[in-house]
Amino acid sequence: MEPHRLDVIEDWFYERISYTFCETVNPLQLSEYLVEEKWLTLTDLRMIRHYNLLYGGGAEDLLYKLRTRPGWMHYLLKACNNPELGLFELKLFITIELDESTQWRYILKEGKPQYPFQWFEGREDWFYERISYTFCETVNPLQLSEYLREQNCLTLTDLDHTKKMFRWKGNALAATELLLRLRKRPNWIHYLIKACSRPELGLNELNLHIKVAMKIDADERKWLFTRKKLELQSYVPEYSEFSDDDIESKSKLMLQSSGNYYQKSTELSDTLEKTGERNVFNWEKAGRLRPPVSFTHKMISPDLKDLFQSVESAFCVPEDTEQLSFAANLLKAVHSDKIASEIKLLSDRLEFLDSYMVFGNEDPGTVCAFDVDVVFNKDHLRVVKKDPIQWNNTSLFKSERILKVILIHSRSLRVVETKLRVYKEYEMLFRSKTLHLQHKHEDFDEIAKKSANIKVSLFQRTILYLVEIIPSENLAVMVSKAANIFLIRSNVRKICNYEFIKDGGETVGTVNSNSYTCRLFSTVRRIKRTLVENTLRTICKSLALEICKEIMCHIEFKMNPIYSFIYEDPKPGILDTLFETITVKMKPFLDKICNPIFLATGSFIGTFVFSVDVNSLNWRRKVADAIYLMISEHRKDIVEKATLLVENMCTKTAEDLKNLNKGLEKWKEKTKCMDIIEVVSIWEKREAMKNISGLGSHKSVLNFIAGIKNDKPTLKVFLSTDDQDAIGFIKDHPEIPKGTVFEFVVVNSYKEQKDQVKRKNHISYSIERNVREMLSKTIKKQGERIHANHSGVVGLGIGNMDCNGQITPCIIIYCLDKDLVPFGEKPLPKTLEGFPCDIREDFIMFGGCFDCHEIAHPNPGCCIGLPSNGIGSAGFLVKTNEFGSETSGFLTAAHVAAENWTDLYNKNAFLSELEVDEYNREIVHPLLPNNNSGRIIGKVKESFCGNWGPEGIGIDAAFVQNYEQDKAAYRELQPADESELDYGDQLIVLKRGGTTGKTFGRLLDGSHSPCVNPRVDDVAWKWGGFYFFDRCFAIEDINEPFFNLGDSGSGVFLTENENPTKPLGIAFAKLDHEPITFVCRIDQVAKALKLRLYEIVETMDI
């Protein structure tokens, strides 16, 4: 295009957008954007700011400067596409008002913009247009803005602006302002629709408008919500067949089109009304309208609360009684109180935003989550991104303002092993210091501390920046400049003439008031003194104000755009203290200089005759000239005095800010967490201990834990026998660090140590039902978290403990060692949700490891099992109709009867849901040590091992179907119900097992959570796997061992007079030290496996 033609087009474009540009554009925001894009210079930016500060506005000057840049139209069009700049009205004006202009068509075709202008952003602009009127007319902006702030959709600045607009301009304009700000936020449509569903916000009319009135535009929605951006050509024919100069033909063709966007929309809607066609408005499928994922974690740490409550004092400067520092005003301007409030709020709750909602410009310390699942897969841990799209926003990992958290989800895996696995998966990302690993089972204190640390760190940058921009040089020049403006004769006369005077209770007025004639010399002198004092006070205020303006211009000139807090409030009061101090300190000095005026009588008033009009221009001018004469004689002293005062205040302010920064640094030290590299080194030390070569060949090694005990590295090994070969192998192993303290424990059977057990349950003390229920809920809520965080814990239970001589209900934590803290873990908790914890050392194991006469149909208590899986006991006799016809069999423990019971646990699935052809499922009876007389009697038909159902009830059970069906007469049994169990009555239960035979025990509780660790030779042990079972019964021995190895799967009954009454559960595990047996609930087993319990009529006694 010819240069002169381009000039004409640009002038034409400039003329048509000028009014809309100047009325709607925020010049400060747009100019900063244009500087970032290298389209304006820093000098241009400073000039725009200066115009805005002195005269307001600045949009006209910005457009003029932009107009001088080559290609300025293309820059402006690109800026219109940036929603953060809020140029929607300008964009809409260009779109609708100019689309019929042939001149504009020529610009688009021949100008060939470097950044083609998208006429509509599709969904969002379309939605914005149609709700604007209803929104502004019906919405309560204050109520809605408060709600949106709570949802993290708006900032505190947005909230303050809306409130001020409401006070100054009323409801409608405040609602308009709110919608404009809301429009700039990602996912704003989702938030608004969500707000419409909240009845307390009173958005009924808006909600109705969205749901009903907007359905008329069905076809348009279908078009707009297909991830396409509408362009002008979507509504007008193509013009490529016309020559470039054939502007008239193009114009005629455009006039033949259906008009603008709104007319076309109406035509489409009318057509749809006639045909009756409708499209379902599915917000979920509307692209960016997808609801974001977020959650709030409630913080309960009292130490964290104390720490964060102390931050308020760290954000305050010392009280300045003499007002020699304006540091407090600067801190208020940069919203230090709001940052302190945000940090204090972290002690109550921690808000996680999904990465979809975070774009890098949120408040410092904002936390966003990237969710991953860690699952055990045969022989390794696999990391799976819950939503891979979350990870697409790679720029977030570079932002120092945002705390990124990889949030780990796992089931029955130790926290340390999962975190180390995730770290190795994404090791390259951890170059960012604001990336954190968090497991859902951990407390979130470290994240809260890191978020607070980021907030404080970025605020410290602001403080240091404020120190830099506080003027320390050229203050004398600034004061002299202010003096040159206000300490001149014309200004003194003006102040003196219009100074409003009162004499006692009587109004005197100004030169514009009626004459006020005085006939007494004393009256004239009194009024003169008042006039001089008031004039000097106003001169001091004017001088102080001008000095403050000079300092503010200096600050604005040096200010970085990201610290443009000055624009967030029309009157931020940054230099209020400086203004007041200059006024107060300079007034006595000027009074002293002008003291001779008070002593003069006729020198300037004239010889007293009969009367003097103190409101006359002549009399006041003489008073003003006398004041000016005194000031001009001492002008140098006044400037030096003011300069020294301002210098001292600026120095004191800078010192206060530096001291505040030091105080924040000390407070920030309390929030520092261990560096990820140091943490990983500890995790790897733990991993190295688990990977000791050759350990699996020693079958006597059941388990071990490595960590710190009594400030020394310690390795505690648990053995099934006193295997000296294994002990020597471990002690001399070269891969174990020197200096390690060794402890070896041989796990004994109850028969060997039952007399050594010290009863600690205090069974003579009952626990109230409501307290027991609260303890049970606590174990249910905290169970998996405790097991995942503490690898030494083998069970949780309810009991009593001695607290300072008083028997108190407590939560029992059974652990391998109460003093040893495994590498990468924290010490065991002393309380859980307010209940004390009684920590007891113990070891846990399954009871699968023997006198049977009936071979084909084992009775309850018979020895059965898989030869490859160990020996257990037959439990309850059961029948089912689930497999086509009624079949009979018996129950036993899944870890006895199912070779793949670990797969069942890890996948939380039934046997029938897995492909199990490669596993042996045939059961042998009797299965005795060193005895081959047993034969195959049946096959495992169904089994489950894990926590079943919505309540997560622990089950370890397998249904074995007999090959030869039992045809004896039977009687169905009803399982015991929880309501029948009164743990305070010391209920006696009975069990018959293959090892211990018929035994009696005492029912302690139904809320225990045993946790069985894999053996060292099990690959799951290496990767931190564990098997815990929720809400199990705990049975205590009475006079003899209730349960021992080989008894797994045996049935437990309630009794009356030592006779069995109702089935209670299946015994499957025991503690080694304390005489406690764990039983899973038979009523839940029957429901899960869809079985009916029965007994043979001829053999009612078990």
Side-chain angles (χ1 to χ4, degrees):
M1 183 184 296
E2 302 87 347
H4 72 278
R5 186 60 182 271
L6 182 60
D7 290 340
V8 172
I9 292 174
E10 289 186 347
D11 290 342
W12 171 89
F13 183 66
Y14 177 85
E15 288 177 12
R16 278 153 181 78
I17 69 166
S18 294
Y19 178 79
T20 303
F21 186 97
C22 297
E23 289 295 315
T24 63
V25 168
N26 182 336
L28 301 176
Q29 196 173 18
L30 179 58
S31 58
E32 289 172 4
Y33 168 79
L34 294 172
V35 168
E36 291 175 1
E37 297 294 331
K38 311 297 185 185
W39 296 335
L40 289 182
T41 65
L42 285 173
T43 303
D44 296 329
L45 177 61
R46 290 166 186 156
M47 290 300 296
I48 298 300
R49 287 179 172 174
H50 187 70
Y51 291 147
N52 182 268
L53 184 64
L54 295 181
Y55 311 112
E60 185 176 354
D61 299 291
L62 171 60
L63 184 59
Y64 176 78
K65 286 187 173 294
L66 183 62
R67 170 69 179 86
T68 62
R69 299 289 186 264
W72 67 279
M73 291 190 302
H74 305 160
Y75 305 152
L76 186 58
L77 293 178
K78 184 180 180 183
C80 286
N81 273 329
N82 191 331
E84 297 295 328
L85 300 178
L87 303 179
F88 179 74
E89 292 188 38
L90 178 63
K91 181 178 180 180
L92 198 63
F93 173 79
I94 295 173
T95 302
I96 296 176
E97 299 299 330
L98 304 183
D99 63 0
E100 294 184 2
S101 168
T102 54
Q103 190 83 339
W104 179 242
R105 270 292 161 198
Y106 193 81
I107 292 174
L108 285 182
K109 185 169 181 63
E110 294 299 327
K112 297 179 182 178
Q114 184 179 356
Y115 306 101
F117 186 63
Q118 302 295 342
W119 299 100
F120 284 94
E121 288 295 326
R123 304 177 287 278
E124 296 189 351
D125 290 351
W126 172 84
F127 185 79
Y128 178 89
E129 279 182 41
R130 279 149 182 77
I131 69 165
S132 296
Y133 178 79
T134 304
F135 185 98
C136 298
E137 289 295 317
T138 64
V139 166
N140 181 334
L142 299 182
Q143 198 172 16
L144 180 57
S145 60
E146 291 279 0
Y147 167 79
L148 294 172
R149 168 55 190 159
E150 293 174 1
Q151 299 297 313
N152 282 328
C153 181
L154 294 180
T155 64
L156 287 172
T157 303
D158 297 325
L159 185 61
D160 292 342
H161 269 279
T162 304
K163 290 180 178 179
K164 290 171 184 175
M165 186 64 72
F166 182 81
R167 288 197 302 268
W168 297 340
K169 302 293 185 179
N171 190 90
L173 290 177
T176 304
E177 175 72 12
L178 172 60
L179 185 57
L180 287 173
R181 289 180 173 273
L182 179 62
R183 169 69 178 84
K184 301 175 185 178
R185 304 300 175 197
N187 302 301
W188 67 278
I189 300 179
H190 162 72
Y191 283 110
L192 187 56
I193 295 172
K194 185 177 178 182
C196 287
S197 64
R198 301 291 293 271
E200 65 271 18
L201 298 179
L203 303 178
N204 295 336
E205 291 189 43
L206 181 62
N207 192 28
L208 190 66
H209 178 75
I210 293 173
K211 288 186 176 180
V212 179
M214 291 174 64
K215 287 185 178 180
I216 298 174
D217 298 318
D219 188 62
E220 194 170 12
R221 280 198 308 277
K222 182 178 179 181
W223 196 356
L224 288 170
F225 284 25
T226 53
R227 299 181 180 271
K228 295 179 180 179
K229 293 184 176 180
L230 290 177
E231 298 183 1
L232 188 62
Q233 286 83 352
S234 302
Y235 290 107
V236 295
E238 293 290 337
Y239 304 100
S240 56
E241 64 272 19
F242 295 97
S243 64
D244 294 344
D245 298 327
D246 196 2
I247 301 298
E248 184 177 356
S249 299
K250 292 182 181 180
S251 177
K252 290 179 181 180
L253 185 55
M254 290 191 71
L255 291 175
Q256 295 173 7
S257 65
S258 300
N260 61 24
Y261 177 85
Y262 297 101
Q263 292 172 330
K264 178 62 70 175
S265 172
T266 303
E267 290 179 11
L268 292 172
S269 300
D270 291 343
T271 303
L272 289 173
E273 283 293 318
K274 294 176 182 178
T275 61
E277 183 180 350
R278 285 289 183 270
N279 290 310
V280 178
F281 193 20
N282 190 340
W283 294 103
E284 297 294 329
K285 295 182 179 179
R288 289 173 62 187
L289 300 178
R290 189 179 73 77
V293 178
S294 62
F295 71 94
T296 300
H297 180 81
K298 183 174 178 58
M299 309 298 290
I300 58 175
S301 170
D303 294 336
L304 191 72
K305 188 176 290 291
D306 292 340
L307 173 62
F308 285 179
Q309 292 299 320
S310 67
V311 74
E312 202 164 21
S313 59
F315 272 84
C316 296
V317 292
E319 186 176 358
D320 182 19
T321 55
E322 298 183 3
Q323 288 194 318
L324 294 177
S325 168
F326 53 91
N329 301 87
L330 286 172
L331 292 175
K332 184 178 180 181
V334 294
H335 308 300
S336 62
D337 53 339
K338 295 178 182 178
I339 296 174
S341 298
E342 290 175 2
I343 293 175
K344 288 169 64 177
L345 190 62
L346 290 175
S347 64
D348 293 325
R349 66 176 185 269
L350 187 62
E351 295 178 340
F352 282 78
L353 303 183
D354 189 87
S355 59
Y356 290 113
M357 301 171 58
V358 181
F359 291 85
N361 58 348
E362 287 74 15
D363 293 337
T366 296
V367 184
C368 75
F370 296 83
D371 298 276
V372 297
D373 280 320
V374 178
V375 295
F376 180 70
N377 189 10
K378 296 294 185 182
D379 58 352
H380 67 281
L381 295 182
R382 186 162 60 95
V383 181
V384 182
K385 296 175 180 177
K386 278 201 168 186
D387 186 355
I389 300 177
Q390 276 187 316
W391 299 71
N392 289 345
N393 192 359
T394 55
S395 62
L396 277 182
F397 290 96
K398 301 177 183 178
S399 173
E400 295 183 9
R401 299 170 60 89
I402 308 301
L403 176 59
K404 287 77 62 179
V405 175
I406 299 180
L407 191 59
I408 303 170
H409 304 259
S410 69
R411 194 178 64 83
S412 296
L413 291 171
R414 307 290 183 195
V415 166
V416 172
E417 279 73 16
T418 57
K419 291 177 75 172
L420 179 58
R421 178 66 185 86
V422 173
Y423 174 81
K424 291 181 176 180
E425 183 79 10
Y426 304 113
E427 187 171 359
M428 296 300 295
L429 296 178
F430 283 90
R431 295 176 180 178
S432 169
K433 293 183 179 180
T434 54
L435 182 61
H436 182 77
L437 267 180
Q438 176 71 26
H439 197 287
K440 69 170 184 175
H441 289 318
E442 293 181 289
D443 62 52
F444 285 63
D445 290 6
E446 285 197 1
I447 295 182
K449 288 181 179 180
K450 287 193 173 185
S451 176
N453 194 293
I454 293 174
K455 291 179 185 292
V456 173
S457 296
L458 292 181
F459 186 72
Q460 283 181 291
R461 294 187 188 179
T462 303
I463 292 175
L464 295 176
Y465 189 79
L466 291 177
V467 172
E468 292 179 5
I469 65 176
I470 293 174
S472 56
E473 301 176 355
N474 300 324
L475 285 173
V477 176
M478 296 181 192
V479 175
S480 297
K481 188 175 180 180
N484 291 337
I485 295 174
F486 281 97
L487 300 185
I488 58 178
R489 185 188 300 272
S490 60
N491 188 59
V492 175
R493 283 182 174 180
K494 182 179 180 181
I495 293 173
C496 191
N497 289 342
Y498 295 101
E499 195 65 47
F500 190 84
I501 304 297
K502 281 190 174 184
D503 183 26
E506 191 173 352
T507 299
V508 177
T510 68
V511 293
N512 293 330
S513 305
N514 295 329
S515 298
Y516 191 89
T517 303
C518 301
R519 299 184 181 280
L520 296 177
F521 173 77
S522 59
T523 304
V524 174
R525 185 171 182 176
R526 186 171 64 250
I527 293 176
K528 179 188 67 175
R529 175 179 288 275
T530 302
L531 177 61
V532 172
E533 289 179 348
N534 290 359
T535 301
L536 292 177
R537 183 179 296 106
T538 304
I539 289 173
C540 287
K541 289 182 178 181
S542 301
L543 179 64
L545 181 62
E546 189 59 29
I547 292 173
C548 290
K549 285 184 177 180
E550 290 294 327
I551 293 176
M552 279 307 304
C553 286
H554 172 86
I555 292 174
E556 281 293 288
F557 183 79
K558 287 194 171 185
M559 187 176 294
N560 189 300
I562 66 173
Y563 296 109
S564 56
F565 55 82
I566 187 66
Y567 302 119
E568 295 184 0
D569 193 328
K571 297 179 180 179
I574 295 177
L575 301 178
D576 283 354
T577 301
L578 180 63
F579 171 79
E580 293 173 7
T581 303
I582 295 175
T583 302
V584 172
K585 298 288 185 181
M586 292 299 297
K587 175 62 168 56
F589 185 71
L590 291 183
D591 285 345
K592 183 178 179 181
I593 290 174
C594 296
N595 190 54
I597 298 176
F598 301 130
L599 303 177
T601 55
S603 59
F604 62 88
I605 300 176
T607 304
F608 180 75
V609 186
F610 293 104
S611 62
V612 174
D613 182 5
V614 295
N615 283 341
S616 66
L617 184 62
N618 183 53
W619 186 82
R620 293 216 176 191
R621 180 173 292 178
K622 290 179 179 180
V623 174
D625 290 345
I627 295 172
Y628 173 71
L629 181 63
M630 294 293 102
I631 289 176
S632 61
E633 289 178 2
H634 299 84
R635 178 188 180 87
K636 183 178 179 182
D637 295 334
I638 294 172
V639 171
E640 289 179 354
K641 174 73 174 178
T643 301
L644 181 61
L645 179 61
V646 174
E647 285 179 348
N648 290 338
M649 291 193 70
C650 289
T651 302
K652 182 68 166 58
T653 300
E655 290 177 356
D656 286 349
L657 291 176
K658 290 177 182 178
N659 291 333
L660 176 69
N661 185 57
K662 292 178 181 178
L664 287 175
E665 190 64 32
K666 289 181 179 179
W667 186 89
K668 197 172 69 172
E669 286 292 328
K670 302 175 184 177
T671 67
K672 281 193 175 179
C673 304
M674 191 180 295
D675 184 74
I676 184 66
I677 303 300
E678 186 178 354
V679 173
V680 170
S681 67
I682 297 174
W683 296 345
E684 289 176 338
K685 187 185 299 184
R686 170 174 170 142
E687 183 184 44
M689 296 295 284
K690 285 195 170 188
N691 289 330
I692 294 175
S693 59
L695 192 60
S697 62
H698 295 271
K699 300 302 181 182
S700 61
V701 179
L702 300 176
N703 194 5
F704 71 75
I705 51 174
I708 302 297
K709 183 176 182 178
N710 300 325
D711 298 327
K712 296 179 180 179
T714 302
L715 179 65
K716 187 172 185 177
V717 184
F718 296 86
L719 305 166
S720 60
T721 61
D722 188 7
D723 187 348
Q724 291 300 317
D725 290 340
I727 293 174
F729 173 81
I730 293 172
K731 283 185 175 181
D732 299 332
H733 203 289
E735 296 175 15
I736 298 178
K738 293 181 179 180
T740 300
V741 177
F742 295 96
E743 294 184 14
F744 296 93
V745 178
V746 178
V747 177
N748 299 312
S749 67
Y750 282 159
K751 292 180 180 179
E752 297 176 5
Q753 66 176 82
K754 64 177 182 178
D755 296 330
Q756 304 172 14
V757 174
K758 182 180 179 181
R759 303 291 175 87
K760 299 182 65 176
N761 287 320
H762 302 285
I763 59 176
S764 59
Y765 298 92
S766 62
I767 300 175
E768 295 180 4
R769 180 181 291 273
N770 62 328
V771 176
R772 186 180 292 276
E773 289 176 354
M774 289 190 290
L775 287 165
S776 177
K777 289 180 180 178
T778 301
I779 291 177
K780 175 63 181 175
K781 181 179 178 181
Q782 300 289 342
E784 185 173 6
R785 188 181 72 84
I786 295 296
H787 296 314
N789 281 287
H790 303 281
S791 57
V793 173
V794 296
L796 301 174
I798 294 175
N800 289 296
M801 67 181 295
D802 189 344
C803 293
N804 300 321
Q806 184 177 359
I807 302 303
T808 305
C810 69
I811 294 175
I812 304 172
I813 299 180
Y814 300 103
C815 67
L816 300 177
D817 193 303
K818 62 173 67 176
D819 298 318
L820 191 154
V821 180
F823 292 126
E825 297 180 9
K826 296 179 181 179
L828 293 171
K830 295 180 180 179
T831 61
L832 283 176
E833 297 190 3
F835 292 105
C837 294
D838 186 8
I839 301 175
R840 308 178 185 180
E841 292 186 0
D842 218 314
F843 190 86
I844 192 172
M845 62 191 80
F846 284 129
C849 161
F850 294 106
D851 174 55
C852 301
H853 304 287
E854 180 65 44
I855 292 182
H857 306 106
N859 291 318
C862 292
C863 294
I864 55 90
L866 286 171
S868 61
N869 220 38
I871 302 171
S873 297
F876 300 101
L877 303 180
V878 293
K879 290 182 180 290
T880 181
N881 292 320
E882 287 297 311
F883 304 103
S885 61
E886 184 175 79
T887 58
S888 62
F890 59 91
L891 285 171
T892 188
H895 73 266
V896 170
E899 281 187 330
N900 64 332
W901 68 271
T902 56
D903 292 340
L904 300 179
Y905 191 97
N906 292 325
K907 297 180 180 180
N908 201 39
F910 288 93
L911 180 67
S912 58
E913 296 173 345
L914 303 179
E915 294 183 6
V916 293
D917 292 340
E918 69 272 22
Y919 294 106
N920 179 20
R921 296 160 58 188
E922 293 185 315
I923 301 300
V924 174
H925 173 246
L927 185 61
L928 303 172
N930 304 316
N931 189 331
N932 297 323
S933 62
R935 69 182 179 88
I936 297 173
I937 59 165
K939 184 177 182 179
V940 178
K941 203 67 177 178
E942 186 64 284
S943 61
F944 184 86
C945 189
N947 296 288
W948 174 77
E951 296 183 10
I953 306 297
I955 292 179
D956 179 7
F959 167 52
V960 179
Q961 179 181 329
N962 295 327
Y963 283 152
E964 297 181 19
Q965 292 300 301
D966 191 356
K967 298 180 181 180
Y970 68 89
R971 179 173 60 198
E972 190 167 338
L973 298 175
Q974 295 300 321
D977 188 78
E978 181 73 27
S979 60
E980 304 177 55
L981 305 178
D982 188 349
Y983 302 107
D985 285 347
Q986 301 183 17
L987 293 175
I988 305 301
V989 298
L990 174 150
K991 173 217 104 265
R992 183 180 177 98
T995 301
T996 56
K998 181 178 178 181
T999 58
F1000 292 91
R1002 182 180 292 106
L1003 178 61
L1004 294 179
D1005 187 69
S1007 303
H1008 277 56
S1009 176
C1011 180
V1012 181
N1013 289 302
R1015 290 176 59 98
V1016 172
D1017 54 359
D1018 187 340
V1019 68
W1021 177 83
K1022 174 185 176 181
W1023 296 111
F1026 60 90
Y1027 312 111
F1028 82 101
F1029 302 86
D1030 254 337
R1031 292 193 60 192
C1032 295
F1033 294 116
I1035 312 297
E1036 184 181 46
D1037 295 2
I1038 297 179
N1039 296 315
E1040 59 183 348
F1042 180 76
F1043 178 94
N1044 214 329
L1045 300 181
D1047 285 336
S1048 270
S1050 55
V1052 179
F1053 288 81
L1054 294 177
T1055 65
E1056 185 175 342
N1057 299 325
E1058 295 190 354
N1059 292 316
T1061 56
K1062 289 188 174 184
L1064 181 69
I1066 298 176
F1068 68 97
K1070 73 181 185 72
L1071 293 175
D1072 180 61
H1073 185 64
E1074 290 202 16
I1076 303 294
T1077 299
F1078 299 109
V1079 176
C1080 58
R1081 299 167 179 264
I1082 191 60
D1083 59 333
Q1084 300 300 315
V1085 172
K1087 288 180 182 178
L1089 303 184
K1090 301 177 182 179
L1091 302 173
R1092 306 191 315 276
L1093 308 178
Y1094 76 95
E1095 63 178 355
I1096 305 297
V1097 174
E1098 291 81 0
T1099 56
M1100 291 179 63
D1101 293 332
I1102 297 180

